[in-house]
C-alpha cells in the first residue's frame, strides 16, 4: 500500500529525517511513536509533499509520488489531518467539509453518513470553523479528510490537547473505519494507551531514524515506554 | 445647498472609482500578499483597450451601432486585462510569493515597462475616448443641480462589480477554493486544491477588475500612459484603510477616502485637502493598524 524507502527530509538546510523506510499494508492501522522533535510530523509532511525530500522513494499503491506536488498526492487518495487541525477559520463548518471533497473531481455532494460518525458536526454546520473548540475542530478535521473516502489517512496527534471523552469517540471512529477494512491509516501519536487500543503495528522513531517496530499485540508496552520516555 | 449636494455626489462618485480600482487590488493583496505596483498600469491597459475598441467600431462598424461599443469595450477591457494579469502571474509574480519587498520592486519595474510600452504604441500625448451618446446629459434634480449620467453609470457599474465579486467569492465553488487558499495555503494544497491554478486565476480576476476600472475612467477624461499612476496611491490607501482582504472594508475605505478628498478639497484647496486626508488616515491607522474591518476569529493552536 504505502512503501517508503531511503527517505531524507530537510527544513531549509537542516536534515530532519535520515534514510527512513516504512511499509504499511492494505487495511492496516499503523502508529508512529516517538518523543517530541524526533521528526514524526515531518515524516507525515514529507508523505504529503510539504517539506523538501531530495532523496528516497514514496510508493503509493505502486505509484511513485515523491515528485508530485501536494495537491496531486491528495488526488491519489491521501487524506491528511495535520497536528494543528488546520481548519479554515473563516469558513463555515459546512464549507470546511465541502473542501474535503476537492479530491473527488466528479462528486460534489456531501454524503450524510459522515454525520453518523461525528453527530456533533451536524448541529453546527453554519458556524465558523474557527469558533469551534479544539475537540470539535479535531473531529471536523478528521471528518473533512474522510468525506472523500481516502485510501490512506494520515493523522497527526489526534489526541493532543483533547478531553478523554472525545479521545474515546475518536478511537471509536478509527476502530469502526478499521472494521470496514477499506481504509489504511498512519497515526502519529504519543499517547501509548490510545495507540495500543487502535493500532495493528507500530514504529518508534528517534532522532530522525526508526529505532523499533513490531506488532502491537505481541509487544510489551514497557519496552515502547522505555524508548519514548524522556 | 445645491453646492453641498453636488459635492457629496462628487465625493461618492470619486469613491466609486476608487472602489473599482481597489477591489482588484484588495483581492490580489489579500490573497497573495503581493504588493502589486503595476495595478495602476493594469487600469491604464483597460483604458487603452476601450480606446482601441472605440477605434475599431469607428472604422468597421455602422455608425448607428457605434454607441454600443462601450458594452463591448467593458467586456474586452476585463478579458484582455485579465489575460495580461495572467501572463504577469505565470512569468513574474509566481516567483515572488512570500517576498513582499521583492514583489514591490519587481512590479514597480513592470509598471515602468508597461508605461513605456503604452507610450511606444499610442504616443506620449493623451488620447480621447468619445463617450457613447446615451451617457450624455444627466438627471435634473432641481434648479441647476444636474447629476451626470456618466457618473451615475459608473456608480451602477461599481455596485454590479461588487455584487459580482461577492457572489463569486462566497457562493461559488471556485470562490470557496480561493478563500481556502487565502486562509491556509498549506492545508488547501493538502486537500487537493491546485494552488498554482487558484493563484493564477485570482491574479487574473483582480487584474480584470482593474481593466473595468480603466474602462470606466475613459468616461471622465482623456487617457494617457500615466493614467494609472494617479490612482495607485489612493487605491493602496483604500486597501490599507479598509482592512486587507475584505470586500466591505474596501467599500468603506473607498467611501471615506473619496468623500474625504472632495470634502477637504472643497473646504481648503487641492493640495491641502490631500495632506489632510493623509493625516487622517495616518492617525486612524495608529489607532487601528489593521484597518476598519479585520478578519477575526478564535484562532486555536496559534
Amino acid at each position: 500500500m504505502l512503501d517508503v524507502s531511503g527517505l531524507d527530509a530537510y527544513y531549509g538546510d537542516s536534515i530532519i529525517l535520515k534514510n527512513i523506510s516504512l511499509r504499511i499494508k492494505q487495511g492496516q492501522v499503523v502508529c508512529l511513536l516517538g518523543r517530541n522533535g524526533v521528526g514524526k510530523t515531518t515524516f507525515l509532511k514529507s508523505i504529503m509533499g510539504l517539506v523538501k525530500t531530495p532523496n528516497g522513494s514514496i510508493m503509493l499503491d505502486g505509484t511513485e509520488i515523491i515528485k508530485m506536488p501536494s495537491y496531486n498526492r491528495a488526488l491519489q487518495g491521501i487524506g491528511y489531518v495535520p497536528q494543528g487541525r488546520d481548519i479554515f477559520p473563516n469558513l463555515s463548518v459546512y464549507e470546511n467539509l465541502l473542501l474535503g471533497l476537492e479530491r473527488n473531481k466528479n462528486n460534489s455532494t456531501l454524503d450524510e453518513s459522515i454525520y453518523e460518525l461525528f453527530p456533533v458536526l451536524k448541529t453546527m454546520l453554519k458556524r465558523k470553523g474557527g469558533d469551534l473548540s479544539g475537540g470539535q475542530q479535531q473531529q471536523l478535521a478528521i471528518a473533512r479528510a474522510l468525506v472523500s473516502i481516502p485510501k490512506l489517512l494520515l493523522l497527526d496527534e489526534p489526541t493532543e490537547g483533547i478531553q478523554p471523552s472525545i479521545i474515546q469517540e475518536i478511537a471509536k471512529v478509527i476502530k469502526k473505519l478499521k472494521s470496514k477494512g477499506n481504509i489504511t491509516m498512519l497515526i502519529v501519536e504519543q499517547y501509548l494507551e490510545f495507540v495500543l487500543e487502535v493500532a495493528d503495528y507500530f514504529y518508534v522513531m528517534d532522532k530522525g531514524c526508526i529505532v523499533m517496530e513490531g506488532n502491537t499485540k505481541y509487544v510489551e508496552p514497557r519496552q515502547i515506554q522505555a524508548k519514548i520516555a524522556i | 445647498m445645491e453646492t453641498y449636494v453636488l459635492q457629496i455626489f462628487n465625493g461618492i462618485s470619486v469613491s466609486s472609482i476608487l472602489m473599482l480600482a481597489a477591489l482588484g487590488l484588495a483581492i490580489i493583496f489579500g490573497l497573495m500578499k503581493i504588493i502589486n505596483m503595476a495595478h495602476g498600469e493594469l487600469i491604464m491597459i483597460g483604458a487603452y483597450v476601450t480606446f482601441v475598441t472605440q477605434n475599431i467600431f469607428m472604422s468597421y462598424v455602422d455608425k448607428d451601432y457605434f454607441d454600443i461599443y462601450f458594452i463591448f469595450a467593458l467586456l474586452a477591457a476585463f478579458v484582455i486585462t485579465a489575460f495580461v494579469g495572467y501572463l504577469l502571474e505565470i512569468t513574474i509574480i509566481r516567483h515572488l510569493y512570500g517576498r513582499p519587498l521583492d514583489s514591490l520592486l519587481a512590479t514597480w519595474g513592470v509598471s515602468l515597462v508597461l508605461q513605456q510600452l503604452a507610450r511606444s504604441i499610442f504616443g506620449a500625448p493623451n488620447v480621447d475616448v468619445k463617450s457613447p451618446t446615451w451617457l450624455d446629459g444627466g438627471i435634473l434634480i432641481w434648479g441647476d443641480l444636474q447629476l451626470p449620467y456618466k457618473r451615475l453609470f459608473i456608480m451602477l457599474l461599481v455596485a454590479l462589480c461588487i455584487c459580482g465579486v461577492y457572489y463569486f467569492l462566497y457562493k461559488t465553488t471556485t470562490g470557496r477554493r480561493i478563500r481556502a487558499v487565502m486562509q491556509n495555503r498549506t492545508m488547501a494544497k493538502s486537500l487537493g486544491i491546485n494552488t498554482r491554478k487558484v493563484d493564477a486565476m485570482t491574479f487574473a480576476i483582480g487584474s480584470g477588475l482593474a481593466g473595468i476600472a480603466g474602462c470606466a475612467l475613459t468616461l471622465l477624461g482623456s487617457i494617457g500612459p500615466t493614467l494609472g499612476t494617479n490612482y495607485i496611491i489612493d487605491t493602496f490607501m483604500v486597501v490599507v484603510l479598509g482592512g486587507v482582504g475584505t470586500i466591505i472594508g474596501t467599500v468603506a475605505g473607498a467611501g471615506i477616502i473619496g468623500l474625504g478628498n472632495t470634502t477637504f478639497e472643497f473646504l481648503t484647496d487641492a493640495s491641502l485637502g490631500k495632506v489632510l486626508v493623509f493625516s487622517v488616515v495616518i492617525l486612524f491607522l495608529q489607532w487601528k493598524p489593521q484597518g476598519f474591518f479585520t478578519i477575526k476569529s478564535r484562532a486555536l493552536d496559534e
Side-chain angles (χ1 to χ4, degrees), chain A residues 138-155:
Chain A
Q138 183 64 285
Q139 297 181 59
L140 174 55
I142 298 175
R144 181 178 63 185
L146 286 177
V147 285
S148 55
I149 312 168
K151 286 192 280 191
L152 173 67
L153 180 65
L154 307 176
L155 288 169

Side-chain angles (χ1 to χ4, degrees), chain B residues 40-221:
Chain B
E41 277 55 48
L42 293 167
I43 295 178
M44 171 202 75
I45 291 175
Y48 274 111
V49 168
T50 314
F51 175 68
V52 170
T53 317
Q54 170 208 253
N55 289 353
I56 292 174
F57 266 72
M58 268 184 185
S59 327
Y60 298 108
V61 180
D62 194 88
K63 254 199 161 57
D64 299 341
Y65 298 112
F66 174 72
D67 275 349
I68 57 163
Y69 90 87
F70 198 74
I71 306 295
F72 286 92
L74 268 177
L75 289 175
F78 180 79
V79 172
I80 294 176
T81 321
F83 183 67
V84 173
Y86 175 75
L87 289 182
L88 215 59
E89 204 277 344
I90 58 171
T91 51
I92 298 168
I93 309 288
R94 63 175 295 189
H95 304 293
L96 299 171
Y97 292 122
R99 294 153 62 190
L101 281 180
D102 295 348
S103 80
L104 188 129
L105 273 180
T107 52
W108 189 48
V110 170
S111 93
L112 294 180
V113 170
L114 289 175
Q115 273 181 34
Q116 192 52 45
L117 200 66
R119 234 172 252 131
S120 310
I121 299 175
F122 298 101
N126 284 5
V127 293
D128 276 312
V129 174
K130 194 174 166 302
S131 312
T133 47
W134 45 272
L135 285 177
D136 289 340
I139 304 176
L140 215 56
I141 305 292
W142 73 80
D144 290 337
L145 183 65
Q146 195 187 26
L147 306 183
Y149 284 134
K150 282 177 190 168
R151 288 186 181 263
L152 289 170
F153 175 77
I154 292 177
M155 289 177 199
L156 182 75
L157 181 67
V158 172
L160 279 178
C161 284
I162 289 174
C163 294
V165 168
Y166 179 85
Y167 180 83
F168 176 70
L169 278 182
Y170 290 92
K171 303 286 172 200
T172 65
T173 316
T174 321
R176 187 164 61 231
R177 270 181 217 144
I178 292 181
R179 282 182 299 141
V181 174
M182 196 184 303
Q183 288 172 33
N184 191 336
R185 177 171 292 270
T186 313
M187 194 60 224
K189 230 187 324 191
S190 312
L191 285 174
I193 296 175
N194 188 335
T195 43
R196 281 290 317 131
K197 227 158 85 184
V198 170
D199 285 341
M201 197 184 54
T202 316
F203 199 85
I205 288 168
S207 306
L209 287 168
I212 293 185
C215 186
L217 279 177
T218 61
L219 294 175
L220 299 180

Side-chain angles (χ1 to χ4, degrees), chain A residues 101-170:
Chain A
L101 291 171
E102 286 291 330
R103 295 202 299 99
N104 303 21
K105 283 299 164 216
N106 36 16
N107 176 16
S108 55
T109 45
L110 209 54
D111 190 355
E112 290 280 318
S113 65
I114 195 71
Y115 304 130
E116 289 165 25
L117 289 178
F118 300 102
V120 65
L121 294 179
K122 194 164 190 178
T123 60
M124 41 183 66
L125 289 177
K126 288 231 161 15
R127 284 173 59 183
K128 275 188 181 180
D131 294 343
L132 266 54
S133 74
Q136 290 161 345
Q137 288 199 356
Q138 183 64 285
Q139 297 181 59
L140 174 55
I142 298 175
R144 181 178 63 185
L146 286 177
V147 285
S148 55
I149 312 168
K151 286 192 280 191
L152 173 67
L153 180 65
L154 307 176
L155 288 169
D156 198 347
E157 303 227 5
T159 66
E160 190 198 28
I162 296 199
Q163 69 187 50
S165 67
I166 296 184
I167 293 182
Q168 276 316 307
E169 264 177 62
I170 291 172

